[in-house]
Amino acid sequence: MNRAKVHLVERLKWGEDILALTVFFTMVFIPAFETFARIVNFRGIPASPVLVQHLTLWIGFLGAILAARQNKLIALTTTPLFSIDEQFQFGRWLAKVVSFVVVLTLMWGSWVLVKIEFAFPVDIAPNIPRWFTQTVMPLSFGLIAVQILIKSTNNNLYRASILMMALLWVIIGLTGAFQDDYWLKWIGLGILCISVLYGAPIFVGLGGVAILFFWGDFTPMSAIPAEMYRIVVSPTLPT
């Protein structure tokens, strides 16, 4: 990797770290300030509980980016999956392909959700639209996908094989091929199980199952991130 690329990667890491620290500090500061404001009878921050709920969403996804960068996404194996293998192992290659495909699909679903929210904006707080808070989802999934592709190998042919399998899934998804075939779900579930056993992150297994059944039921992929958003910004989580 040349000096320019190294500099770009380092700046990106710095930006991720600063953003994560800023979000975490803000998430802690708002409740503390609200408590102090009530004691001294000051005016608090408008919609502060809702802001904290959405900051929970941000800190969760930013944490996932940092975990992917450090190859510490939660998995069933102790050996990091997204690292360079000395020898080709089909199981690990399959796990990397499945992880990349699932993350890309979740990124696409999140992007569709953001576009829908942008077309029909709703403010969660004064001058803060809901679609803005949701942009962290496609951006995070995109950065995780890039991390998977970069860290998995230094071999361009290996990367090309991952991209080709992802392209195949895109073609199947766009054309609707095999969408009515029930047997494909079971094959997909088997592939997901093998991938998880070979080190694919837990969220890839869960997300992959959701993608398979939602896709087979002709449900838009945006329904998955929409449900993720609904659960994460639940009022019970920040408290």
Side-chain angles (χ1 to χ4, degrees), residues 187-201:
I187 293 177
L189 286 175
I191 293 174
L192 284 170
C193 290
I194 294 172
S195 300
V196 171
L197 290 175
Y198 274 93

Side-chain angles (χ1 to χ4, degrees), residues 88-98 158 161-162 165:
F88 177 80
Q89 299 181 32
F90 179 78
R92 287 177 60 82
W93 173 83
L94 181 64
K96 293 174 183 179
V97 169
V98 170
Y158 196 105
S161 67
I162 296 176
M165 296 304 295

Side-chain angles (χ1 to χ4, degrees), residues 175-224:
T175 59
F178 310 111
Q179 199 164 1
D180 287 325
D181 296 327
Y182 192 75
W183 55 266
L184 185 63
K185 296 179 184 178
W186 293 106
I187 293 177
L189 286 175
I191 293 174
L192 284 170
C193 290
I194 294 172
S195 300
V196 171
L197 290 175
Y198 274 93
I202 298 297
F203 87 89
V204 167
L206 297 175
V209 171
I211 289 169
L212 273 178
F213 282 94
F214 276 54
W215 177 70
D217 197 41
F218 295 88
T219 302
M221 289 297 104
S222 58
I224 300 174

Side-chain angles (χ1 to χ4, degrees), residues 20-150:
L21 288 172
T22 302
V23 171
F24 182 76
F25 173 80
T26 306
M27 189 171 66
V28 174
F29 171 78
I30 291 177
F33 179 80
E34 284 291 303
T35 302
F36 177 76
R38 290 183 182 182
I39 294 174
V40 298
N41 201 24
F42 281 174
R43 183 178 179 181
I45 301 173
S48 59
V50 178
L51 291 175
V52 174
Q53 292 164 20
H54 285 78
L55 287 172
T56 303
L57 176 74
W58 276 67
I59 201 66
F61 275 95
L62 290 173
I65 294 174
L66 298 180
R69 191 180 78 190
Q70 299 173 13
N71 213 348
K72 292 183 178 180
L73 291 169
I74 298 175
L76 296 181
T77 59
T78 56
T79 304
L81 175 64
F82 308 118
S83 57
I84 300 173
D85 300 324
E86 294 182 1
Q87 295 181 344
F88 177 80
Q89 299 181 32
F90 179 78
R92 287 177 60 82
W93 173 83
L94 181 64
K96 293 174 183 179
V97 169
V98 170
S99 299
F100 185 72
V101 168
V102 168
V103 171
L104 277 185
T105 306
L106 293 174
M107 181 190 73
W108 170 252
S110 301
W111 173 245
V112 173
L113 174 64
V114 171
K115 289 199 300 181
I116 294 172
E117 292 285 352
F118 184 80
F120 304 95
V122 175
D123 287 349
I124 62 168
N127 301 316
I128 302 179
R130 187 164 59 190
W131 65 263
F132 174 76
T133 64
Q134 294 173 340
T135 55
V136 70
M137 293 193 289
L139 290 175
S140 297
F141 283 127
L143 287 173
I144 292 173
V146 171
Q147 294 283 358
I148 291 174
L149 195 62
I150 292 176

